[in-house]
Every structure is written in C-alpha cells, then in structure tokens.
Amino acid sequence: MEAHYRLEQFSALLCREDFDLAEACLLIAQDAYPELEPAHYLARIDALAATVKRRVAGDAFAQQKLVALNRYLFRDLGFHGDARDYYNPRNSYLNQVLERRAGIPITLSILYMEVGRRLGLRLQGVSFPGHFLVKLRVSGGQLVLDPFCGGEAQSESELRARLAKALPQRAADTLPLSQFLLAASPRQILARLLRNLKGIYLQSEEAQNTLQVMQRMVMVAPHAAEEVRDRGLAYYKLDCFRAALADLQDYLERRPDAPDAEEIRSKAAALRLVCARLN
C-alpha cells in the first residue's frame, strides 16, 4: 500500500466524529509494517473481549469485569510492560503489542481500553505526567489503573509519588491531583503516542521514519505550529527542500514571535535560494 494512500485513510478516519482508537493506532503502524491489515488485529481484540465476556456473569458489575480482564490479559496471556527494551519502537505499534504481548504504558492502556470497551467498561485514558494511565468511574469515585503493571489500581500516595518523579517538587506537592487525572481525548492519546515515536526516531536519527511520524502528527494536531516546524525540519534532512520551505514559512506565519523565529527565518531564506536554483 502506497504511503500517500495510507495517509489518506488516516485522514479520513480522523474526520469521523467518534473514530475507533485501535484502528487509528493500527493505521499508524502501517508506516513500519506496510502489509499490516487492521481488520485482522481488530478481530484479535474482539476475540480477547469475547473470552473475557464468557468468564463473567451477564449481570457482572464493573469491578468484576475488571478482575476478569486483568486476570486474562496479564496473568493468563502474559501481557506486560517492556521495561528492559522500553524505547524499542515496536512497543509503540499496537500490532506488535498484540504479537509480542509487551508494550509501554500508552499502548498497553490503549489495548486495555479497547478490550474493556467491548465489555461495556467506560475506561478513559489519562495522560499522566511521565506515565500513561487509565481510569474508570465507579460509584463513589473513580479507579485509576496502570496496565503497564498488570492493571493495578493506583492509590493517591502512589500517584503523588509518580508526580514527584515527573515534575518539580513544589508543583508535585501543591497542584491538585485531579488536574492530572483528566480524561484524554482520542486525538490527545494519538498525539502522545506519536510524540513517543517522534522522540525515538529523532534520537536514532532515522529521518524517513521521523517524517512519517510527523506527517501523521500534523494531521492529529493541525493547530500545533511546532509540529509543522518539526515536519519541515524532517523534510529538510531528506532534501525535500520545497516541502521544507512550505512548512517553515507556515510556522513563521503562525508564530512570528517564537523564540526560534530568527533561526527558522534564516533556514527559510537559505531554502528559498536552494529552491530558486531548482527551478
């Protein structure tokens, strides 16, 4: 499947009011696995949910379903957080999480939410600092769960300890915990997933992979000028000078007073000269 067509599919999916998060993640994975068939992996998620459903009574309440879900995914099937090879890009692709039964907090959370949704559990993603989590509203409050650690419920003190590792001490101690437990939208979840991949590929200096991630990021977060800038820089590294110039000019129009505006103006000026010679 050609890259352009894959991007068109992804764009069309994002236009839906209530798009399927798992399908979106699988379309992202097609960049690394072009032969991937999303329907195959969606059927596997359906099958996981069907097995859990057979293990609980028809009138089971939410906590009973959670117990069954945790037991099946994490104990019986052995899904787990890949702490040893955390930054392996495979951990950020949902198809590979299903194949290897290992992932990072956000991909395991996505799988957890998607299986739970098929069980009638209204699980929501939480873009917690440093570690993606899942929450479920129950009578009298909410449960905050960590699929990276077997779906364990997180206490307030455990969440505060996580905050202390991710934020300056004063902020972690004084800001209300509820501020960090807001539900993330599907677009916000995809953006965080793509930022993970972006960081991995920038670190390993894989320019083509970085560009593929950035093309999708700009679709997910079209109002984020910095993402347009970074896509332009990715184009530049691949000698796609006209595309790079268009993105950098777009960034400067949106953020004329950005801290790096002078640096980007200098790059854009050099690119204009290069593009003029290409004509």
Side-chain angles (χ1 to χ4, degrees):
M1 188 186 300
E2 292 185 7
H4 180 69
Y5 178 68
R6 293 199 299 268
L7 288 175
E8 285 183 344
Q9 276 193 311
F10 189 64
S11 178
L13 181 72
L14 293 177
C15 288
R16 299 179 197 168
E17 187 174 344
D18 190 21
F19 65 83
D20 187 295
L21 180 59
E23 184 178 359
C25 292
L26 292 166
L27 291 179
I28 288 170
Q30 284 182 327
D31 285 338
Y33 305 92
E35 303 305 315
L36 183 156
E37 291 291 343
H40 169 73
Y41 289 97
L42 292 172
R44 287 179 63 167
I45 296 173
D46 290 341
L48 293 175
T51 299
V52 178
K53 194 172 289 188
R54 288 194 294 269
R55 296 184 174 195
V56 296
D59 59 352
F61 51 84
Q63 286 92 328
Q64 290 173 317
K65 291 179 181 179
L66 276 181
V67 169
L69 175 59
N70 288 350
R71 181 178 294 125
Y72 182 56
L73 285 185
F74 304 118
R75 190 190 71 181
D76 297 353
L77 295 184
F79 279 90
H80 63 282
D82 188 358
R84 288 187 177 184
D85 199 12
Y86 191 92
Y87 295 103
N88 187 321
R90 292 188 298 176
N91 286 325
S92 292
Y93 293 120
L94 188 58
N95 63 313
Q96 286 296 298
V97 173
L98 283 160
E99 295 287 357
R100 299 168 60 239
R101 300 184 183 180
I104 54 177
I106 191 166
T107 46
L108 288 169
S109 293
I110 290 166
L111 177 62
Y112 194 74
M113 289 188 289
E114 287 296 298
V115 177
R117 179 170 63 82
R118 289 159 171 78
L119 299 172
L121 290 170
R122 297 177 63 84
L123 295 165
Q124 296 175 299
V126 175
S127 201
F128 201 78
H131 194 99
F132 201 87
L133 298 166
V134 171
K135 70 176 182 179
L136 177 68
R137 295 195 180 280
V138 293
S139 57
Q142 65 183 8
L143 293 172
V144 180
L145 310 157
D146 184 3
F148 189 76
C149 296
E152 290 181 359
Q154 304 294 290
S155 67
E156 182 174 344
S157 61
E158 287 170 326
L159 292 170
R160 282 284 177 197
R162 287 190 186 280
L163 273 186
K165 292 179 181 179
L167 298 178
Q169 190 65 50
R170 184 176 179 183
D173 289 341
T174 59
L175 293 173
L177 193 58
S178 59
Q179 176 177 324
F180 303 100
L181 295 175
L182 300 175
S185 71
R187 276 184 181 267
Q188 289 170 332
I189 294 170
L190 291 181
R192 182 155 173 168
L193 177 68
L194 288 165
R195 279 196 298 271
N196 286 344
L197 280 167
K198 174 185 173 183
I200 290 167
Y201 288 135
L202 283 173
Q203 182 70 28
S204 58
E205 298 184 347
E206 297 180 52
Q208 184 61 46
N209 289 333
T210 301
L211 176 59
Q212 289 177 329
V213 170
M214 292 311 304
Q215 286 173 326
R216 294 186 185 269
M217 177 66 93
V218 170
M219 290 180 176
V220 170
H223 302 298
E226 288 75 15
E227 303 298 351
V228 173
R229 174 201 62 198
D230 289 352
R231 184 179 65 177
L233 296 174
Y235 275 128
Y236 181 80
K237 286 187 177 180
L238 290 166
D239 296 339
C240 300
F241 299 125
R242 290 191 179 92
L245 178 58
D247 275 351
L248 296 187
Q249 288 182 154
D250 185 2
Y251 172 67
L252 290 170
E253 287 171 9
R254 298 197 208 185
R255 297 285 309 279
D257 300 320
D260 62 350
E262 285 307 311
E263 178 188 349
I264 298 301
R265 283 192 189 96
S266 177
K267 280 192 186 305
L271 279 167
R272 275 191 286 274
L273 292 174
V274 172
C275 292
R277 289 198 294 268
L278 292 175
N279 288 334

